[in-house]
Amino acid sequence: MQALKDRILKEGKNLGGGILRVDSFINHQVDPALMNECGQEFARRFASLGATRVLTAEISGIAPAFSAALHLGVPVVYARKTKPVTMPDTVYLTTAPSHTKGRMTELIVSPEYLGHGERVLVIDDFLASGETILGLVRLTRAAGASVVGIGALIEKSFEGGRKALAHLGVQIEALVCIASMENDQILFGD
Amino acid sequence: MQALKDRILKEGKNLGGGILRVDSFINHQVDPALMNECGQEFARRFASLGATRVLTAEISGIAPAFSAALHLGVPVVYARKTKPVTMPDTVYLTTAPSHTKGRMTELIVSPEYLGHGERVLVIDDFLASGETILGLVRLTRAAGASVVGIGALIEKSFEGGRKALAHLGVQIEALVCIASMENDQILFGD
């Protein structure tokens, strides 16, 4: 998606170690018009899947997932990283390594909002190693629901996530693909 | 706002101790169409303030703040509760007691996204004691910016937040006001 690519070129910062800083428009400060446009594009690409729910991981996935869900006309569920007191005692919980945090994080969903038979579209900000998305897939399956598609704003294809998700046999869409971040550059792929 | 009031009556759960569970449409599972409608309503009520930025606290404030910012055509900034590695070393940080977590939480904003002279509209899910919102006000002032308005989806007027914010002298809007949660009931006020 050209608008997102342009914004990465303008404001994205290559911090080294494969970490792309996009917190001026996705993660900390958010450009709602751009995220809304990305949500429309996800809705267009996944329109035929019959998704009944969008699932993401808090925090960074929320803006694109919310926007996609708005345009698909379905609820969005945020997998929480800590269990609030308002959540029931028994939940679905899995752990996934966080690239930017350098440790394992928990992903927690209440069984009330991820039911048997749901058709789940997983949306996140990045598709990197695929570990967070695989965590969301495990939660979905634990609930007896199925993942019907996976979308990310930005794929870092050099981290192998698409390969790690291939066995799922579902449609995978990234709005922008980055092929290399070596030598302080950001090189886009297809 | 009638649609939000209806939804609270239908799905809100009074957990006692003044805690209202709304995680089927605001906090964990989110109804994007309803949140979008709430965002439109905030944008309408605060249209004349000339806000240049919306500020909220992750997680629960994100959906209404994002929607309000989309309809106002300004960026939204999420105050983070933990400092990610992608954030600069020096940040604005304050602490505020969390009612539902029973402990102090940190609110952190990068100086890059809250600049001198900004006109900040603070949006959160609840206006209860006002502590979180006052934390966001402190961050705004630390940045040399000014708070021009405060909006919440749901005010619990029996917790005194509006009084705690009155000295700020800014427009305060709640889309729904709950006057009492005693005896397992949810009674609306004006």
Side-chain angles (χ1 to χ4, degrees):
Chain A
M1 214 181 83
Q2 196 59 43
L4 183 57
K5 197 183 275 190
D6 291 345
R7 195 63 170 269
I8 293 167
L9 280 172
K10 193 172 158 220
E11 297 181 15
K13 287 186 189 71
N14 183 343
L15 298 186
I19 297 179
L20 179 65
R21 188 173 174 217
V22 288
D23 67 1
S24 66
F25 55 104
I26 298 177
N27 289 342
H28 178 26
Q29 176 172 255
V30 176
D31 179 338
L34 178 63
M35 288 301 110
N36 188 52
E37 203 182 318
C38 292
Q40 267 172 320
E41 179 63 17
F42 281 131
R44 192 186 67 76
R45 295 192 190 188
F46 293 116
S48 65
L49 296 183
T52 59
R53 200 149 302 226
V54 171
L55 177 65
T56 192
E58 73 177 28
I59 315 290
S60 305
I62 292 182
F66 176 89
S67 301
L70 178 65
H71 292 286
L72 285 165
V74 299
V76 53
V77 175
Y78 313 152
R80 305 292 308 252
K81 286 176 182 166
T82 51
K83 187 177 163 302
V85 293
T86 49
M87 206 182 267
D89 293 334
T90 306
V91 297
Y92 300 124
L93 181 152
T94 191
T95 55
S98 166
H99 193 53
T100 42
K101 286 189 182 151
R103 57 176 169 83
M104 300 298 285
T105 56
E106 296 187 335
L107 296 169
I108 305 167
V109 171
S110 167
E112 297 157 289
Y113 309 127
L114 201 57
H116 192 84
E118 297 281 356
R119 298 175 61 80
V120 175
L121 173 61
V122 173
I123 299 278
D124 207 357
D125 56 344
F126 280 100
L127 167 55
S129 67
E131 294 281 7
T132 302
I133 290 172
L134 282 170
L136 295 171
V137 171
R138 287 193 296 277
L139 289 177
T140 303
R141 290 180 166 178
S146 56
V147 171
V148 295
I150 294 168
L153 293 175
I154 304 168
E155 177 177 0
K156 296 190 284 188
S157 60
F158 56 92
E159 293 191 7
R162 192 174 284 262
K163 202 171 277 179
L165 301 173
H167 70 279
L168 300 171
V170 301
Q171 184 183 345
I172 301 173
E173 297 282 346
L175 302 190
V176 164
C177 178
I178 295 176
S180 166
M181 290 176 61
E182 286 184 11
N183 306 318
D184 281 339
Q185 292 189 299
I186 299 173
L187 296 178
F188 294 99
D190 280 326
Chain B
M1 212 182 85
Q2 197 57 44
L4 183 57
K5 197 183 275 190
D6 292 345
R7 195 62 169 270
I8 294 167
L9 280 172
K10 194 172 157 219
E11 297 182 15
K13 287 184 189 70
N14 183 342
L15 298 187
I19 296 179
L20 179 65
R21 188 174 174 216
V22 288
D23 68 359
S24 66
F25 56 104
I26 297 177
N27 289 342
H28 178 27
Q29 176 172 257
V30 176
D31 179 338
L34 179 63
M35 288 302 108
N36 188 52
E37 204 181 318
C38 292
Q40 267 172 320
E41 179 62 17
F42 281 131
R44 191 185 68 75
R45 296 193 189 187
F46 292 117
S48 65
L49 297 183
T52 58
R53 201 149 302 226
V54 171
L55 177 65
T56 191
E58 70 177 28
I59 315 286
S60 304
I62 293 183
F66 176 90
S67 301
L70 178 65
H71 292 287
L72 285 165
V74 299
V76 53
V77 175
Y78 314 152
R80 306 292 308 253
K81 285 177 184 165
T82 52
K83 186 177 164 301
V85 293
T86 48
M87 205 182 267
D89 294 333
T90 307
V91 296
Y92 300 124
L93 181 151
T94 191
T95 54
S98 167
H99 193 54
T100 43
K101 287 189 181 151
R103 55 176 170 81
M104 300 299 283
T105 55
E106 297 186 335
L107 296 170
I108 305 166
V109 170
S110 167
E112 298 158 289
Y113 309 128
L114 201 57
H116 192 83
E118 296 281 355
R119 296 175 62 80
V120 175
L121 173 61
V122 173
I123 298 279
D124 206 358
D125 56 344
F126 281 99
L127 168 54
S129 67
E131 293 282 7
T132 302
I133 290 171
L134 283 170
L136 296 170
V137 171
R138 288 193 296 276
L139 290 177
T140 302
R141 291 179 165 180
S146 56
V147 171
V148 294
I150 294 168
L153 293 176
I154 304 168
E155 177 177 1
K156 295 189 285 186
S157 61
F158 56 93
E159 294 192 6
R162 191 175 285 261
K163 201 171 282 180
L165 300 174
H167 70 279
L168 300 171
V170 301
Q171 184 182 346
I172 301 174
E173 296 283 346
L175 302 190
V176 164
C177 178
I178 295 176
S180 166
M181 291 177 60
E182 285 183 12
N183 306 317
D184 282 341
Q185 291 190 298
I186 298 172
L187 295 178
F188 294 100
D190 280 328

